[in-house]
Amino acid sequence: MDLAEFNRLPADDARGVLRPCLDVDRWIDAIVDARPLTDLDSATAASRSAAPLTTAEIDAAMSHHPRIGEKAKGESAEAAHSSREQAGLGTLEADVQSQLAEGNAAYEARFDRVFLIRAAGRAPEEILSELQRRMDNTEEDETAEVGEQLIQIAELRLEGILA
């Protein structure tokens, strides 16, 4: 779908297109209400107008994200996006896979949610390094970081849809 087609969609249909990018009504409405979008930069600006995400929005959106290094389950649009985004990780070396699994478990024990990071364009070692760095975050700082990662993921998905 191109930008012109997206702009012509009825509002409810546009919301349906956006929901797999980020299942946060306020974010979706910010983009739908900003139409007609003139280019991807205007779509990104509309996305950014909904930031930062609230803790409740983050918690709801996180239900669609698998652990880093694990395949998304199901046939949903969200699962397809996640699989494409993590495809760049390729086949992980056993050591990196093991460290990610251990790091995921430690992160979940510490923050009571799965570790979320924009995987697209990142090497497995960078993701592992970020996971380790973020273990030192306060709960408040980590929640803000997760919200930013959700927005980054959503913007990449939106770009893919509108390109």
Side-chain angles (χ1 to χ4, degrees):
M1 160 179 313
D2 66 15
L3 197 56
E5 184 180 354
F6 178 75
N7 284 332
R8 287 191 301 269
L9 289 174
D12 285 344
D13 292 348
R15 284 183 183 90
V17 167
L18 294 171
R19 192 157 306 281
C21 297
L22 180 61
D23 193 5
V24 172
D25 288 333
R26 189 170 57 85
W27 181 84
I28 292 167
D29 289 341
I31 295 170
V32 170
D33 294 346
R35 295 181 314 156
L37 301 169
T38 55
D39 54 24
L40 288 176
D41 287 340
S42 64
T44 299
S47 167
R48 289 290 157 173
S49 75
L53 299 177
T54 67
T55 301
E57 291 169 335
I58 290 167
D59 290 344
M62 288 294 292
S63 68
H64 301 291
H65 289 273
R67 288 177 185 88
I68 197 77
E70 292 183 3
K71 289 190 72 104
K73 293 178 175 64
E75 302 294 323
S76 69
E78 291 92 345
H81 281 300
S82 183
S83 292
R84 279 191 301 275
E85 292 155 3
Q86 290 199 41
L89 296 177
T91 303
L92 299 175
E93 294 179 20
D95 184 49
V96 173
Q97 180 70 43
S98 174
Q99 288 181 54
L100 276 175
E102 290 171 18
N104 279 333
Y107 181 94
E108 288 176 35
R110 167 112 165 72
F111 293 109
D112 196 31
R113 67 166 67 100
V114 299
F115 173 70
L116 182 86
I117 190 167
R118 176 191 46 77
R122 288 193 162 120
E125 296 78 14
E126 179 185 359
I127 291 170
L128 184 58
S129 175
E130 279 296 291
L131 189 156
Q132 292 163 342
R133 177 191 66 78
R134 287 170 52 184
M135 287 295 291
D136 292 332
N137 278 350
T138 64
E139 179 70 36
E140 182 177 274
D141 289 343
E142 185 56 21
T143 298
E145 240 182 287
V146 170
E148 174 58 27
Q149 293 300 308
L150 281 165
I151 293 283
Q152 286 182 25
I153 291 165
E155 289 171 354
L156 285 173
R157 290 175 177 183
L158 180 60
E159 182 180 332
I161 289 169
L162 300 180

